[in-house]
Amino acid sequence: MSTKPPFLKRLFTLLWNTVNTIRKLIINFIFFSILAIIIIAVMTSEDEIVLDNQTALVLNLSGHIVDQKRFVDPFEAVLAQGNDNPDAEILLADVLYVINNATLDTRISTIVLNLSNLRSAGVSKMTNIGDALTEFKAAGKKVIAMEDGYSQNQYFLASYADTLFLNSKGMVSLDGLSRYRLYYKSALEKLKINTHVFRVGTFKSAVEPFIRDDMSDADKAASDELLGDIWQSYSTIVAKNRGISPEQLVLDTDAYLAQLDKANGDSALMAMNMGWVDELVSAEQFRLAMIELVGSNKEGNSYRQIGFNDYLSLTAPLPQFIENDSVGIIVAKGNILNGAQPAGQIGGETTSEYLRKARLNDKVKAVVLRVDSPGGSAFASEQIRQEVLALKNAGKPVVVSMGSLAASGGYWISASADYIYATPTTLTGSIGIFGMFATFEDTLSHLGVNSDGVATSDWAGLSPTRSLSPNVKAVIQRHIERGYHEFISLVASERNMTLEQVDNIAQGRVWTGNRALELGLVDEIGDMKQAIAKAAELAEMDKFDTKLIEQELTTEQQFIQQLIGASAAYIPVSAHKSSILETMLTQWSGVIEDFAKFDDPQGVYLYCEQCDF
């Protein structure tokens, strides 16, 4: 009897060995290429950075300012390094640390805002940064902003500058706020896809694109009021910083055209006439002005300066080896998903684990939960809230600091805290619940495919290929109604309100932090600094440290990241650029991420779709 393996097995073995060999060659090529870069970086490394007096700190903030970075594979981090990467993430805590440190640093006389690659931050986070810049100016130091053009987002932060420069061929883009969405009802009907929606809440509009072809009157009214509140905060702060009227920021088309004609069609001159900027200069004129202000660098080709990343590395605090009593800080950022999730997403298991670590650590006496989330899975939200309750039962106060978002599931995990802070423009509330899924029986039937068979119960036969019976729909709707009742009951209990009071401000309605304070959904307007102080006060601590409790990198990951960080400057600039194909893949991955938001085991969600602007 032959013991020779079958032909197919030998074929697949050969294919696997071939693929595996190619894989090893590619990995070795990448490894030795990076190793060579690291060796060159170490051999050619410059001396330690020396900071001279009268130095300008350049806040070159590129990418997205966030409360917590997403985990990035160390090898991918090579291409993400650099000061001009628009896809990078910068920690808000690092920006505030750098500015606060520079305020006390006698060697730093000026901050230069370089915001050309700032993509997003949110009014709440930028207000925190603006407050730190205000303290910097109060110390007798100057803040300068210079750009070839300002987007609305960039201009908010630039408005805190003492002097705001604009390229003589640039412009300031101030458009106001809007909220438009795509609606799919007619398209789904043409595809014969049946969308089954179960919800409670007049304003819970997350499902509207699937059941309507336009925005409902209720959603329009809520969105209009919400946008008005946010824009009022934006325009009031910017107008105060610039010493102009809020009405001067966004002009109607007739007024804009009149101002443009007055400036002979010159957008830059119009910006100066309107008081939006102070001076129009070329890049060379700005360079000379800064050399006159702070002096030239050693090479004599620019002004004396240090970049954000270099200054952060230079002033980074030394690690503490003796653990003192502390306020634990846990960041709950992103969509609330089930199970274990990487940094930058909230996982029912991972975030619960961080809260558990704080509870079991005797040195952690109180916790600040920083929430920046539109919500997500109802199950995972409750899983996290149960750990918040366990912390409180252990005698450790929990204070919530709401960032840009703390809505729906984000509010659910916040509601049971001892004290809640929001910023004026935090989007919160969205107290409502929904369930949704589609069935394709009509689509399949149109193609000549039909489903038939038997089952021992109505539940055993549930499938996307079969229609839902009225009784099954009624049961699902009853579950959703029960979930809504639990939500408003939770808020009523924790916020000392009646069910009727909560129901009147719930229904899925989204509120700004200022309105949430008036309605009793939060306790005070403030940021992380106030939240940490409040947690220490509730824990009766006079002296304390802060301890960030988060996902820890392995020793190998830390080692690789440190090596890569040393060699990042030697990666060609072209390597940072994305091809058209990579850009398209990134967009498609965003679509996949949107689908991944909905992973609740029972198909029930506490999610705020209005929180997308």
Side-chain angles (χ1 to χ4, degrees):
M1 182 176 179
S2 174
T3 58
K4 188 176 182 179
F7 172 75
L8 285 177
K9 182 175 181 180
R10 285 184 285 122
L11 177 61
F12 282 117
T13 301
L14 176 63
L15 288 173
W16 166 247
N17 289 336
T18 302
V19 170
N20 197 35
T21 301
I22 294 172
R23 179 183 66 86
K24 290 179 179 179
L25 287 173
I26 293 173
I27 291 174
N28 287 335
F29 175 76
I30 295 173
F31 174 78
F32 285 112
S33 297
I34 292 176
L35 183 62
I37 292 172
I38 292 170
I39 293 172
I40 294 172
V42 173
M43 293 179 63
T44 60
S45 61
E46 299 177 357
D47 295 333
E48 183 180 356
I49 299 172
V50 177
L51 195 60
D52 298 322
N53 290 328
Q54 277 304 97
T55 294
L57 168 61
V58 179
L59 282 186
N60 38 351
L61 305 178
S62 298
H64 310 271
I65 298 176
V66 297
D67 284 313
Q68 183 185 56
K69 291 183 180 181
R70 292 191 177 197
F71 174 77
V72 178
D73 182 87
F75 290 101
E76 292 180 21
V78 175
L79 299 180
Q81 289 284 344
N83 294 328
D84 60 351
N85 178 19
D87 297 319
E89 290 184 325
I90 304 173
L91 286 178
L92 173 64
D94 286 346
V95 179
L96 298 178
Y97 174 82
V98 162
I99 297 174
N100 293 335
N101 203 84
T103 302
L104 303 174
D105 192 335
T106 56
R107 300 167 295 179
I108 300 294
S109 63
T110 307
I111 284 179
V112 177
L113 297 176
N114 179 353
L115 309 172
S116 57
N117 286 308
L118 177 63
R119 292 295 176 264
S120 69
V123 176
S124 295
K125 295 181 181 66
M126 290 193 293
T127 302
N128 287 161
I129 297 172
D131 290 342
L133 291 173
T134 300
E135 292 181 11
F136 181 86
K137 294 192 294 184
K141 303 184 177 188
K142 290 186 177 297
V143 177
I144 308 292
M146 166 62 188
E147 292 298 337
D148 293 335
Y150 293 94
S151 69
Q152 187 165 280
N153 209 31
Q154 296 160 354
Y155 186 73
F156 181 87
L157 207 50
S159 72
Y160 285 89
D162 293 292
T163 307
L164 210 157
F165 290 95
L166 175 67
N167 189 290
S168 54
K169 295 299 181 183
M171 68 180 298
V172 178
S173 299
L174 298 173
D175 307 317
L177 301 174
S178 65
R179 181 171 185 256
Y180 287 91
R181 307 167 71 184
L182 295 177
Y183 292 81
Y184 318 117
K185 178 175 181 282
S186 293
L188 293 173
E189 288 176 351
K190 289 178 180 178
L191 295 170
K192 300 185 180 298
I193 297 173
N194 299 314
T195 305
H196 306 278
V197 171
F198 309 91
R199 62 173 174 169
V200 178
T202 305
F203 301 97
K204 201 66 178 174
S205 61
V207 297
E208 282 192 1
F210 305 96
I211 60 175
R212 298 181 60 95
D213 283 324
D214 58 0
M215 184 180 285
S216 68
D217 291 338
D219 193 15
K220 281 184 178 180
S223 296
D224 188 55
E225 183 175 344
L226 188 63
L227 290 174
D229 286 346
I230 297 172
W231 181 251
Q232 182 179 20
S233 293
Y234 179 103
S235 58
T236 300
I237 292 172
V238 170
K240 180 181 177 182
N241 289 342
R242 295 298 304 160
I244 59 178
S245 166
E247 289 72 28
Q248 287 180 250
L249 292 176
V250 175
L251 308 176
D252 61 44
T253 51
D254 290 337
Y256 191 96
L257 188 59
Q259 288 295 332
L260 199 57
D261 288 341
K262 184 179 177 181
N264 294 319
D266 188 333
S267 296
L269 181 58
M270 173 187 162
M272 193 164 73
N273 291 341
M274 293 296 298
W276 296 343
V277 300
D278 298 301
E279 272 190 66
L280 305 180
V281 295
S282 66
E284 175 62 12
Q285 288 171 329
F286 179 72
R287 183 184 73 88
L288 294 175
M290 288 304 301
I291 289 176
E292 183 178 347
L293 180 63
V294 300
S296 62
N297 59 9
K298 292 178 181 178
E299 292 78 14
N301 58 5
S302 187
Y303 59 93
R304 190 182 296 121
Q305 61 184 275
I306 184 171
F308 169 77
N309 288 327
D310 286 339
Y311 189 72
L312 178 61
S313 299
L314 186 67
T315 59
L318 295 173
Q320 291 184 327
F321 297 102
I322 300 177
E323 191 172 1
N324 300 314
D325 288 347
S326 63
V327 172
I329 298 174
I330 297 170
V331 178
K333 179 242 178 186
N335 296 303
I336 302 177
L337 304 173
N338 280 284
Q341 299 294 335
Q345 296 283 4
I346 305 172
E349 291 182 7
T350 44
T351 305
S352 295
E353 181 187 348
Y354 304 150
L355 291 165
R356 209 159 30 246
K357 280 185 179 180
R359 173 161 52 91
L360 300 177
N361 188 332
D362 292 336
K363 292 295 184 180
V364 175
K365 303 300 182 182
V367 168
V368 170
L369 181 61
R370 175 70 169 186
V371 180
D372 195 9
S373 170
S377 164
F379 180 83
S381 298
E382 173 58 15
Q383 193 176 8
I384 294 166
R385 191 186 73 89
Q386 289 173 5
E387 286 298 330
V388 171
L389 293 176
L391 260 170
K392 292 173 62 178
N393 292 334
K396 298 188 177 186
V398 180
V399 175
V400 162
S401 170
M402 292 180 170
S404 300
L405 304 170
S408 213
Y411 189 80
W412 181 284
I413 66 176
S414 305
S416 296
D418 292 288
Y419 208 81
I420 302 175
Y421 283 94
T423 71
T425 55
T426 294
L427 299 183
T428 189
S430 190
I431 299 168
I433 187 169
F434 72 90
M436 183 184 71
F437 57 90
T439 57
F440 304 88
E441 67 276 11
D442 291 340
T443 306
L444 294 172
S445 178
H446 182 70
L447 297 173
V449 179
N450 296 284
S451 173
D452 195 14
V454 295
T456 58
S457 72
D458 290 338
W459 308 109
L462 286 180
S463 167
T465 64
R466 301 183 67 246
S467 61
L468 289 183
S469 71
N471 288 339
V472 169
K473 289 182 180 180
V475 170
I476 297 173
Q477 180 63 30
R478 188 67 57 82
H479 279 299
I480 297 299
E481 291 169 359
R482 173 62 185 176
Y484 179 73
H485 180 76
E486 289 178 349
F487 203 160
I488 63 173
S489 297
L490 167 67
V491 176
S493 173
E494 298 292 355
R495 304 303 302 172
N496 296 317
M497 302 166 72
T498 66
L499 285 176
E500 291 73 22
Q501 287 175 320
V502 177
D503 188 47
N504 287 336
I505 62 175
Q507 300 286 322
R509 186 75 176 264
V510 182
W511 307 101
T512 61
N514 279 333
R515 292 284 287 128
L517 178 62
E518 296 172 9
L519 298 171
L521 293 174
V522 303
D523 295 295
E524 197 172 339
I525 297 298
D527 55 22
M528 277 291 289
K529 186 186 297 184
Q530 284 84 10
I532 292 170
K534 186 67 177 181
E537 175 191 329
L538 293 176
E540 299 180 350
M541 289 191 295
D542 295 325
K543 295 181 180 180
F544 61 92
D545 292 330
T546 57
K547 178 181 177 62
L548 182 62
I549 302 171
E550 61 178 351
Q551 185 179 21
E552 298 175 358
L553 296 178
T554 64
T555 305
E556 292 82 0
Q557 288 172 330
Q558 292 177 10
F559 177 70
I560 291 172
Q561 285 194 347
Q562 289 172 359
L563 287 179
I564 288 174
S567 61
Y570 298 87
I571 302 296
V573 175
S574 60
H576 296 296
K577 306 301 181 183
S578 296
S579 66
I580 295 176
L581 177 60
E582 288 172 325
T583 302
M584 291 176 62
L585 289 174
T586 300
Q587 292 174 345
W588 277 108
S589 68
V591 174
I592 294 171
E593 285 183 11
D594 286 341
F595 279 104
K597 296 173 187 176
F598 303 103
D599 72 338
D600 187 272
Q602 299 175 2
V604 179
Y605 303 98
L606 308 172
Y607 187 74
C608 175
E609 188 66 27
Q610 274 185 300
C611 304
D612 57 357
F613 47 81

